[in-house]
Amino acid sequence: MANQGGAQRPNGPQSKICQFKLVLLGESAVGKSSLVLRFVKGQFHEYQESTIGAAFLTQTVCLDDTTVKFEIWDTAGQERYHSLAPMYYRGAQAAIVVYDITNQDTFGRAKTWVRELQRQASPNIVIALAGNKADLANKRMVEYEEAQAYAEENSLLFMETSAKTAMNVNDIFLAIAKKLPKNEQAGQQQSRQRGVDLSQENQPSGGCCK
Amino acid sequence: MESSRDNHIKLQMRERESDYTNLQPYRIFCGTWNVNGQQASEAINEWLCPAEDSEPPDIYAIGFQELDLSKNAYIFSESVREEDWYKRIKEALHPKAKYKKVVKLVRLVGMMLVVFIRKGLELEIYDVMSGTVGTGIMGVMGNKGGVAVRFGLRDSTLCFVNSHLAAHTVEFERPHTDFKDINSRMLFGNRTISDHELVPCFFFFFSSENSLLFCSIVIWLGDLNYRLSDIDNDACKKLISDGRLQELMKYDQLVRQISQKNVFLDYLEGKISFIPTYKYDPGTDTWDTSEKCRTPAWCDRILWRGSNVGQLCYRSHMACKLSDHKPVSSIFESGIKVIDRAKQRQVYEDVMKQLDKWENEFLPQVEVSTMEIKFKDIKFIEQKKEILVVSNTGQVPVQFEFIPKPSDTNFCEPWLSVEPSKAVISVGAKCEVHLSVYVNKDTGPSLNSGKARIEDILVLHLDGGKDLFITVSGNYIPSSFSSSIETLVRMFKPVTDVETGSLIEIVSASTSLQHLILTIDQASSPNPSEDPPLDIPKEIWRLVDHLYKYGMEQDELFRQPGLHSEIQLIRDCLDQGKPRLLPGSVHSVAEALLLFLEVLPEPVVPYEHYDLCLHVCDNFTQAKQVLQRLPTSHRNVFKYICAFLRELLKHSASNFLDARFLGELHLNGHQSSRTAHQTRADHRSSLLCDAF
Ligand SMILES: Nc1nc2c(ncn2[C@@H]2O[C@H](COP(=O)(O)OP(=O)(O)OP(=O)(O)O)[C@@H](O)[C@H]2O)c(=O)[nH]1
Ligand SMILES: [Mg+2]
């Protein structure tokens, strides 16, 4: 029958929701949990307990055309839990590797994490490097340019952040959300489980749009 | 789960619609006329654009019934009247504005609906669909039924229904059936019909997958054919001529049915201040004078459903006389939704934020009594227990499970057991998890040698939530049990007196030496700088010596089991070197000896010689040769045990042992895993025993 008329049906902003698994890695006390706390709840704790396990939270980021829902795994940075990290970066579509700009060792450790991710994680994983505690500029030990050059070499997103002042915290997650592929095909590969996947070695990376 | 989340988002967005939606007034003209099959012979400006309507409407929705009563209209669904009326309508639209058709027209037999929109506004409409439902003859024919047009305008959805319901003066149930029929069968559009697109227009509907919008406004017009009940013709006409219309209205079937909520639920109708529009002698304003002499009725009605709809007028048009019905019209001013995209986005982000907050709040949460479990002084074959209390501190039931670490198949080390390994805890409840450590012959050797330690991390996974790492640790007290013969012969002090560091040294020395001994000549002396090793481990000597002194005459020796607690005391005594006399009964000592041999990491006859031994066990000379190839300390132990067994056999009168049983014992002692060879093995053992 008839079907005419000039205008398009208006779209809501909520037309497409994509779901991604994101993991935070980095040495203990660099501020992984603090970044997540800032991003998810807008809070900062001067005394933040060291993570013994892997914390799980979700947070949504609204882009122009899509909505990205992050399933965030905040891992334990203490070295003795290192061997457990693959449980969390396996199948992740995004990772934030965090170091503390006031501590050169943590930057070295971050590089090791990046290398491990490049070798062991999904080949398409989007990696962001976060130089945290940027508010402590007077104690700086890692130069911005050095980290930036490293990030560029390895095609990482890079930002200096501060969980304390909130500087660049939303921005780094937003930048990741933008960089993640949101094609339809990726959506179909999505397995809806959010927990730890024990069965698969390297899941095909890709978004989880529906 | 996900779709309920989507639904929640939709619901929230709808609930907060007013936060981001502005209403823009649109003037809608609706008209209905049952033309009784008459030709379009008179102008209809009086109906569509009466003099008092100074402002031009934005939308016209005009419905006809009985447009064409000819057979052609029924059977071939074509009508010559259609074009004529269409032309008349176009001529009669408000002169102060220009109009464009939304759909040219929708017609089912005599029912026709035309919708016009003011020029310029047609750019704001989308998703125009139309549909028809026949409820006439046999329930499907189009002499009765409805036609409808729906379309999106800005962010609202409008729907117009023109219906001609079945008439019957007495059985006024009938129009209701029609109403329900149209309601459930009205389909729109030219799309494939799937369940969710089977959209009954009179209720809200989601017409398309990406829209949140209800069909915001429905206007239902037509010859609904409701009559006046319980009043006779004269009384009726009297009330009319007296102008007592509200009184007469009480007899109106539709009013009654609506008030009883039988029909047109959620629909509204404006106050009727015009006299009944049916039935007149055509061409006049005279009530029906035909044979039937119908009682007047308000057959022709206009109702609406939806918010932000205001009725400006509701009237009939007496000037149009060619039919036995008078036309009716109504003008609405309705608020059409216009969404502020920026505000909508803000609200959406808010909704998502709130949802995130809830989701995070409703994640499973637990507290554990401790993140580190320490076991103190773990001994060989002695169970130690600790309890981990897991409390559900969240707002949802928790299912937890201990899960394996990467590249592991079990979630914990073999010396640890955890019970339960998975469970569900209801909100506020606790679960006790029992952890126990038990070191046996499988795990003892590497713990003794320091290659392994009591150290493990348990991954406590909450279904749909986080993981907790529970560290398990403890100190293992090395024991002579489960230590290798090579190590023991180089240990001159009791095990517990040896410092852990030097213990590992001894172990590694013994393994490398053992290697030397095995590859070079066994006779050659090992490292001359070291003390010469003992002939046999002192622990074996002590056990055998004890039995030799106190057990030779013991009835049922080796047949009767010992006590586990006594065996643990014997273990301590051997490891600590005191007291001098082994505690417990001879049965316990006998079992301790068997256990000692059983848990040797490398059996008395080492694995690599085992097959050869079996092979030659029937041949005494060859057996003797093979024996020569065993490492010295192993050969010594073998000879020593055999000598002891021979001694035992001498006392068989009192201990009732025979060679076969002892042979079995001896062999089982350190080869239990290879039972397939048992028969031949024990044969060989007896032979060997006989040999010495
Ligand atoms: N000044 C400053 N302090 C920070 C910042 N981020 C985190 N901290 C502090 O650094 C400490 C460690 O932060 P966490 O967030 O616990 O570090 P983590 O990386 O999660 O550590 P683990 O859980 O042990 O791996 C806490 O005392 C925080 O308050 C920051 O941006 N600026
Ligand atoms: Mg942390």
Side-chain angles (χ1 to χ4, degrees):
Chain A
M1 295 211 170
N3 193 348
Q4 39 188 253
Q8 281 295 303
R9 170 168 219 88
N11 275 331
Q14 57 280 14
S15 45
K16 191 163 136 192
I17 300 181
C18 298
Q19 199 153 304
F20 295 102
K21 178 176 169 186
L22 180 148
V23 64
L24 283 102
L25 298 166
E27 191 160 303
S28 183
V30 295
K32 297 180 295 299
S33 303
S34 302
L35 285 171
V36 175
L37 186 69
R38 171 61 75 188
F39 176 55
V40 173
K41 300 195 175 147
Q43 299 169 355
F44 176 75
H45 296 158
E46 208 58 63
Y47 179 72
Q48 174 71 35
E49 270 181 46
S50 182
T51 309
I52 300 177
F56 176 82
L57 287 166
T58 61
Q59 182 70 13
T60 308
V61 172
C62 302
L63 302 179
D64 286 338
D65 50 343
T66 46
T67 303
V68 168
K69 185 179 176 194
F70 283 120
E71 301 185 327
I72 305 169
W73 286 95
D74 168 26
T75 63
Q78 291 178 41
E79 194 48 42
R80 59 173 163 156
Y81 304 120
H82 179 184
S83 65
L84 299 171
M87 298 173 81
Y88 306 102
Y89 64 66
R90 201 163 44 194
Q93 287 102 6
I96 304 183
V97 177
V98 187
Y99 67 92
D100 172 354
I101 65 152
T102 70
N103 181 335
Q104 184 73 43
D105 289 349
T106 65
F107 182 53
R109 188 70 190 82
K111 289 179 179 172
T112 322
W113 276 119
V114 170
R115 229 168 300 140
E116 182 168 339
L117 286 175
Q118 286 166 343
R119 272 203 295 267
Q120 316 263 30
S122 313
N124 302 328
I125 191 168
V126 172
I127 306 175
L129 181 68
N132 192 38
K133 308 200 185 179
D135 55 294
L136 303 176
N138 54 341
K139 294 189 194 152
R140 174 187 290 279
M141 298 299 288
V142 182
E143 287 312 318
Y144 182 89
E145 291 73 21
E146 184 190 354
Q148 195 184 33
Y150 169 76
E152 236 161 67
E153 264 166 50
N154 289 276
S155 336
L156 316 175
L157 290 167
F158 170 65
M159 281 186 203
E160 285 197 346
T161 58
S162 168
K164 188 169 181 171
T165 67
M167 177 185 113
N168 276 345
V169 176
N170 286 340
D171 309 65
I172 197 163
F173 282 93
L174 200 68
I176 293 170
K178 282 185 182 151
K179 197 172 169 185
L180 282 162
K182 287 165 280 284
N183 51 330
E184 291 299 326
Q185 207 199 357
Q188 263 132 43
Q189 293 171 347
Q190 156 70 352
S191 63
R192 273 287 314 129
Q193 59 122 31
R194 73 150 67 122
V196 180
D197 180 15
L198 304 167
S199 58
Q200 276 167 283
E201 270 307 313
N202 277 338
Q203 285 186 335
S205 95
C208 335
C209 308
K210 28 158 221 82
Chain B
M1 177 220 152
E2 206 51 27
S3 73
S4 79
R5 189 172 183 276
D6 287 350
N7 280 342
H8 175 86
I9 296 168
K10 282 182 183 161
L11 207 74
Q12 286 292 307
M13 288 306 289
R14 200 178 304 137
E15 249 168 41
R16 298 183 54 179
E17 195 177 78
S18 60
D19 294 357
Y20 56 86
T21 308
N22 298 317
L23 293 174
Q24 197 164 311
Y26 278 70
R27 185 175 279 253
I28 302 171
F29 178 99
C30 297
T32 175
W33 194 10
N34 182 326
V35 291
N36 194 24
Q38 302 300 316
Q39 292 207 346
S41 56
E42 65 178 21
I44 49 177
N45 302 51
E46 280 297 328
W47 171 36
L48 298 184
C49 187
E52 72 259 30
D53 292 1
S54 52
E55 253 191 71
D58 298 302
I59 295 168
Y60 271 103
I62 303 152
F64 290 86
Q65 304 86 35
E66 297 191 3
L67 183 90
D68 194 339
L69 297 171
S70 73
K71 282 202 183 67
N72 277 354
Y74 277 91
I75 299 164
F76 305 111
S77 69
E78 57 187 37
S79 169
V80 284
R81 300 282 159 79
E82 188 176 288
E83 277 303 320
D84 298 344
W85 279 112
Y86 188 68
K87 254 173 64 196
R88 292 274 176 196
I89 295 166
K90 280 184 78 174
E91 286 160 14
L93 298 177
H94 205 289
K96 283 196 199 158
K98 287 213 161 72
Y99 292 93
K100 292 217 132 195
K101 56 185 187 292
V102 170
V103 286
K104 174 152 186 207
L105 50 82
V106 198
R107 191 176 61 82
L108 176 68
V109 190
M111 290 168 288
M112 176 168 100
L113 179 63
V114 268
V115 181
F116 290 93
I117 190 154
R118 255 179 103 152
K119 197 162 179 262
L121 298 184
E122 83 272 12
L123 299 173
E124 294 170 355
I125 66 170
Y126 51 87
D127 283 359
V128 182
M129 296 178 209
S130 56
T132 63
V133 173
T135 61
I137 300 164
M138 292 171 18
V140 288
M141 290 293 277
N143 58 328
K144 295 287 183 316
V147 295
V149 170
R150 55 84 72 204
F151 55 90
L153 172 61
R154 307 298 292 263
D155 294 297
S156 284
T157 318
L158 269 64
C159 181
F160 298 100
V161 184
N162 169 27
S163 72
H164 189 188
L165 305 182
H168 209 291
T169 333
V170 254
E171 191 212 340
F172 56 79
E173 283 298 328
R174 180 64 196 167
H176 311 158
T177 333
D178 287 356
F179 171 81
K180 281 175 191 149
D181 245 24
I182 298 172
N183 236 333
S184 58
R185 285 168 54 211
M186 183 70 76
L187 310 179
F188 285 102
N190 47 5
R191 311 167 156 222
T192 38
I193 294 155
S194 65
D195 256 327
H196 67 285
E197 280 175 343
L198 204 150
V199 273
C201 63
F202 319 125
F203 298 129
F204 60 87
F205 61 93
F206 302 98
S207 60
S208 111
E209 37 295 295
N210 58 7
S211 170
L212 303 177
L213 301 171
F214 287 116
C215 195
S216 358
I217 298 170
V218 181
I219 296 178
W220 188 312
L221 48 90
D223 178 358
L224 307 187
N225 245 329
Y226 287 90
R227 306 296 171 89
L228 297 170
S229 289
D230 310 323
I231 185 164
D232 65 39
N233 204 334
D234 293 337
C236 168
K237 285 176 181 161
K238 175 93 177 49
L239 283 176
I240 295 169
S241 57
D242 290 354
R244 290 153 68 187
L245 293 182
Q246 294 321 303
E247 222 165 300
L248 185 60
M249 196 49 88
K250 290 180 195 141
Y251 304 97
D252 180 71
Q253 292 168 348
L254 179 57
V255 168
R256 287 182 180 183
Q257 289 298 310
I258 287 180
S259 70
Q260 287 166 25
K261 298 200 187 311
N262 285 334
V263 73
F264 283 105
L265 279 177
D266 298 334
Y267 280 79
L268 297 172
E269 190 187 20
K271 187 181 161 200
I272 294 182
S273 50
F274 51 89
I275 62 170
T277 52
Y278 178 79
K279 178 180 182 175
Y280 297 90
D281 288 340
T284 73
D285 291 339
T286 319
W287 297 118
D288 181 28
T289 56
S290 73
E291 232 169 88
K292 286 181 185 159
C293 193
R294 299 272 190 207
T295 308
W298 283 289
C299 287
D300 308 285
R301 313 285 274 261
I302 298 175
L303 294 84
W304 75 92
R305 208 218 74 216
S307 47
N308 311 308
V309 181
Q311 192 173 42
L312 302 181
C313 64
Y314 190 22
R315 62 207 173 177
S316 68
H317 303 271
M318 299 299 284
C320 300
K321 297 186 201 292
L322 63 83
S323 168
D324 56 352
H325 288 252
K326 301 290 177 194
V328 169
S329 76
S330 175
I331 297 177
F332 297 95
E333 184 164 276
S334 56
I336 296 298
K337 293 176 206 163
V338 181
I339 289 175
D340 180 329
R341 300 288 156 203
K343 274 193 199 159
Q344 185 189 33
R345 193 191 154 91
Q346 238 169 36
V347 170
Y348 178 70
E349 280 176 19
D350 254 30
V351 167
M352 296 307 282
K353 202 169 275 174
Q354 186 62 42
L355 198 62
D356 282 337
K357 198 171 158 237
W358 281 333
E359 273 190 10
N360 288 327
E361 258 170 36
F362 285 101
L363 284 175
Q365 298 292 349
V366 297
E367 257 169 35
V368 287
S369 51
T370 175
M371 298 294 281
E372 301 214 17
I373 293 178
K374 283 207 171 87
F375 288 92
K376 219 167 132 10
D377 297 343
I378 299 156
K379 291 179 178 173
F380 187 70
I381 59 161
E382 195 170 311
Q383 191 174 51
K384 293 263 174 172
K385 291 183 175 177
E386 290 289 338
I387 287 176
L388 172 74
V389 183
V390 184
S391 321
N392 183 346
T393 53
Q395 309 191 39
V396 287
V398 167
Q399 178 169 12
F400 74 79
E401 182 178 2
F402 291 97
I403 57 172
K405 296 172 274 295
S407 71
D408 282 355
T409 43
N410 293 325
F411 67 81
C412 68
E413 295 288 340
W415 39 259
L416 182 64
S417 66
V418 178
E419 198 55 47
S421 66
K422 70 198 272 188
V424 176
I425 315 174
S426 50
V427 177
K430 292 174 201 282
C431 176
E432 279 191 0
V433 179
H434 296 259
L435 292 91
S436 64
V437 171
Y438 187 78
V439 177
N440 59 18
K441 66 165 179 172
D442 296 326
T443 51
S446 51
L447 286 166
N448 272 330
S449 67
K451 270 187 239 149
R453 291 200 287 179
I454 299 288
E455 257 177 13
D456 199 5
I457 297 171
L458 299 176
V459 180
L460 176 61
H461 175 65
L462 309 186
D463 187 33
K466 65 179 174 181
D467 294 356
L468 285 86
F469 298 160
I470 312 287
T471 304
V472 176
S473 63
N475 62 311
Y476 181 68
I477 298 183
S479 171
S480 52
F481 282 78
S482 236
S483 289
S484 72
I485 293 178
E486 294 298 332
T487 305
L488 292 169
V489 293
R490 280 171 184 79
M491 215 182 285
F492 306 104
K493 293 189 276 184
V495 177
T496 39
D497 293 352
V498 181
E499 277 164 29
T500 323
S502 54
L503 186 65
I504 292 168
E505 234 165 70
I506 293 170
V507 172
S508 54
S510 66
T511 36
S512 59
L513 279 173
Q514 192 176 6
H515 188 66
L516 266 180
I517 294 161
L518 291 171
T519 48
I520 315 172
D521 185 20
Q522 21 166 315
S524 71
S525 141
N527 199 335
S529 68
E530 275 189 19
D531 291 333
L534 303 170
D535 287 337
I536 62 166
K538 55 196 176 310
E539 292 78 9
I540 294 179
W541 176 81
R542 284 192 70 189
L543 290 163
V544 169
D545 187 58
H546 186 95
L547 290 175
Y548 186 70
K549 281 186 184 140
Y550 308 105
M552 296 309 268
E553 307 286 330
Q554 180 65 52
D555 182 13
E556 295 280 284
L557 188 69
F558 286 110
R559 288 189 200 261
Q560 192 172 315
L563 288 171
H564 193 69
S565 56
E566 288 183 359
I567 292 168
Q568 289 178 352
L569 290 174
I570 293 165
R571 173 203 61 203
D572 288 349
C573 176
L574 289 175
D575 290 345
Q576 290 157 14
K578 58 198 172 193
R580 294 219 82 77
L581 185 63
L582 289 177
S585 70
V586 283
H587 293 300
S588 296
V589 175
E591 195 176 327
L593 173 63
L594 293 180
L595 180 70
F596 196 93
L597 296 174
E598 184 190 339
V599 301
L600 283 172
E602 183 83 38
V604 178
V605 176
Y607 289 120
E608 64 175 301
H609 298 280
Y610 189 78
D611 284 332
L612 190 58
C613 282
L614 282 183
H615 190 65
V616 302
C617 66
D618 292 328
N619 184 316
F620 181 71
T621 332
Q622 280 182 353
K624 268 196 109 161
Q625 280 170 2
V626 169
L627 202 53
Q628 283 308 310
R629 294 207 216 153
L630 299 189
T632 320
S633 50
H634 282 253
R635 190 172 60 236
N636 290 342
V637 172
F638 192 86
K639 284 182 178 172
Y640 183 66
I641 300 285
C642 285
F644 169 61
L645 294 180
R646 255 198 329 269
E647 263 329 289
L648 269 180
L649 285 176
K650 284 186 192 157
H651 297 264
S652 56
S654 43
N655 59 28
F656 299 107
L657 292 169
D658 56 36
R660 173 162 289 263
F661 178 70
L662 283 180
E664 257 170 51
L665 270 184
H666 187 34
L667 253 285
N668 283 350
H670 42 87
Q671 298 293 353
S672 52
S673 62
R674 312 181 79 158
T675 44
H677 299 295
Q678 195 161 317
T679 330
R680 278 174 72 198
D682 80 61
H683 186 172
R684 174 201 70 144
S685 177
S686 335
L687 253 179
L688 287 175
C689 285
D690 291 343
F692 293 98

